[in-house]
Amino acid sequence: MPIAVLAVLIVQGLCVYHATQTGRQQQWLMILLLLPGIGSAAYFIFELLPDMANTRRGRKAFLDVRTVIDPDREYRERKAQVELTGTPAAKAALADECARKGMYDDAAELYRAALTGLYADDPNLLLGFAKVLLDKGDPAEAQRALDRLRAKNPAFQSSDGHLLYARALEGQDKRDETLAEYEAVAAYYPGFEAKVRYALYLLKLGQAQRGREMLEGVSAAYKKLPRHAQDLNRDWYLVAKKNLEG
């Protein structure tokens, strides 16, 4: 049997299996069975692709493909928005794209330009600015931005901001303060990032037993999660797993 024919039959079989498992068989089985190649292609386009787009990994895959095809598309679109509107939100969006592309100096300058006038102490802008500064390798200024955020917005609460603060302290080797902040944020932060970062910091300080216990706790908790929650937490679980095996 030619390889191409075998491939078509395998794809057809997979599509039929997926259709029966997801309750789509009534409208698709006849198409898949009578039109193996065209039917499978149609099933992939109209059923599988939308399903993939609704998952975190699916969205990431689409973004990665689009980035490979046109790596500067998002940057151009966001830059055009800044030129058109000049709003702080547009500048922040462009700053985040610059940071994603490794253009940290440009990202920091965009945030500084956004943090003016009525938005000089905007908590969300300050949070984004602090993250860019950490990515840029300036934990001291990141801490100052977060201190400003807390001073000007005492009612503002953010688990991401709390974790950024712990990381900013770690970047300055403020050990006692870092340990206190990591312990506090790891206790309530959604997902595994805070716990894994805390565990890695403990390992870095030579507290191997405590650090490994935290990583083992993350690994055990991950395995008990439902599938959709595992999808959301997979990246940090893999970090924990790698460091347990290392």
Side-chain angles (χ1 to χ4, degrees):
M1 181 182 293
I3 294 177
V5 174
L6 180 61
V8 168
L9 291 175
I10 291 173
V11 172
Q12 179 192 30
L14 291 172
C15 289
V16 168
Y17 176 78
H18 185 271
T20 57
Q21 292 296 307
T22 56
R24 295 176 168 94
Q25 66 267 33
Q26 185 174 358
Q27 63 267 37
W28 278 105
L29 278 183
M30 192 63 67
I31 296 173
L32 289 168
L33 292 173
L34 295 179
L35 302 168
I38 297 173
S40 297
Y43 188 80
F44 181 79
I45 292 170
F46 293 109
E47 296 290 347
L48 294 180
L49 280 179
D51 279 359
M52 290 171 61
N54 287 326
T55 67
R56 180 171 174 264
R57 279 184 292 172
R59 288 191 296 270
K60 185 177 185 300
F62 284 128
L63 288 173
D64 288 346
V65 169
R66 190 173 73 171
T67 298
V68 170
I69 295 172
D70 186 358
D72 294 323
R73 175 181 174 179
E74 195 72 22
Y75 174 79
R76 292 196 307 272
E77 290 177 353
R78 295 188 183 192
K79 185 177 181 181
Q81 280 297 310
V82 171
E83 293 170 350
L84 179 65
T85 67
T87 64
K91 291 174 183 176
L94 178 58
D96 292 342
E97 179 61 16
C98 286
R100 190 187 68 79
K101 293 171 71 66
M103 302 162 57
Y104 299 119
D105 290 335
D106 291 338
E109 288 307 311
L110 281 161
Y111 266 112
R112 288 192 180 95
L115 286 160
T116 57
L118 294 174
Y119 295 91
D121 299 312
D122 182 271
N124 291 303
L125 291 177
L126 285 168
L127 199 61
F129 184 37
K131 184 179 186 307
V132 163
L133 291 169
L134 269 179
D135 292 339
K136 181 175 178 286
D138 194 344
E141 191 174 357
Q143 182 186 355
R144 288 194 291 272
L146 292 168
D147 284 336
R148 175 177 160 192
L149 188 162
R150 291 198 298 185
K152 298 295 185 179
N153 305 275
F156 183 78
Q157 299 292 326
S158 169
S159 57
D160 288 328
H162 195 170
L163 181 56
L164 287 174
Y165 198 78
R167 292 175 57 198
L169 293 171
E170 179 183 357
Q172 299 172 79
D173 201 24
K174 297 181 178 181
R175 298 191 178 188
D176 292 340
E177 295 173 74
T178 301
L179 285 169
E181 294 299 334
Y182 268 137
E183 184 172 6
V185 71
Y188 75 94
Y189 190 90
F192 295 140
E193 182 180 357
K195 287 184 175 65
V196 173
R197 286 190 182 277
Y198 184 22
L200 295 180
Y201 187 61
L202 291 170
L203 294 176
K204 179 180 174 181
L205 295 181
Q207 299 183 31
Q209 181 176 349
R210 191 178 175 198
R212 286 187 62 85
E213 286 174 355
M214 290 195 68
L215 293 176
E216 288 167 356
V218 166
S219 181
Y222 175 83
K223 293 172 183 176
K224 296 177 182 178
L225 293 175
R227 187 169 181 177
H228 71 277
Q230 287 185 341
D231 184 56
L232 292 172
N233 290 280
R234 182 171 286 104
D235 291 345
W236 285 103
Y237 161 71
L238 292 175
V239 174
K241 182 181 178 183
K242 180 179 178 181
N243 281 273
L244 283 171
E245 294 172 348

